[in-house]
Amino acid sequence: MDEARHIASLVVLARPELFDAVKANLCLLDGLELHQQSSAGKLVVVLEAVDENQILQRIDQINNLPGVLNAALIYHELLDPAGETE
C-alpha cells in the first residue's frame, strides 16, 4: 500500500419494498462492499477511499439513492502505509 486508505463502515436503512433496488444501486458504487443484510431493510456497508472527503461524498450519494431512509457512519479508520493508524 503506497498511500493512506480510509475504511468506513455504515448501516444503511432502506424501505423494505425497495430493498433489492437499493442493494443493486449500492453495488454500482466504487469502493463499496455489502457485508450483511436483514429482511427489515438494514445493510452493513464498508467503504474504502483515499480521503475523508470521498467517504462523506459516498455517504451523501447513498442517502440520496431512491429507497434509502438513512445511511449512518458507524466506524472510520485511517490505514497508514507507515503502519500507524488513527
Side-chain angles (χ1 to χ4, degrees), residues 55-75:
I55 296 288
L56 295 172
Q57 288 174 349
R58 187 68 74 221
I59 292 170
D60 284 342
Q61 278 184 306
I62 293 168
N63 272 317
N64 289 317
L65 289 174
V68 170
L69 298 171
N70 187 42
L73 178 67
I74 302 300
Y75 178 80

Side-chain angles (χ1 to χ4, degrees), residues 35-50:
H35 281 274
Q36 296 290 324
Q37 59 184 306
S38 78
S39 58
K42 294 179 186 175
L43 296 153
V44 175
V45 172
V46 174
L47 301 174
E48 184 175 337
V50 295

Side-chain angles (χ1 to χ4, degrees), residues 14-22 39 41 67:
R15 295 183 183 277
E17 66 273 14
L18 297 174
F19 194 55
D20 290 333
V22 169
S39 58

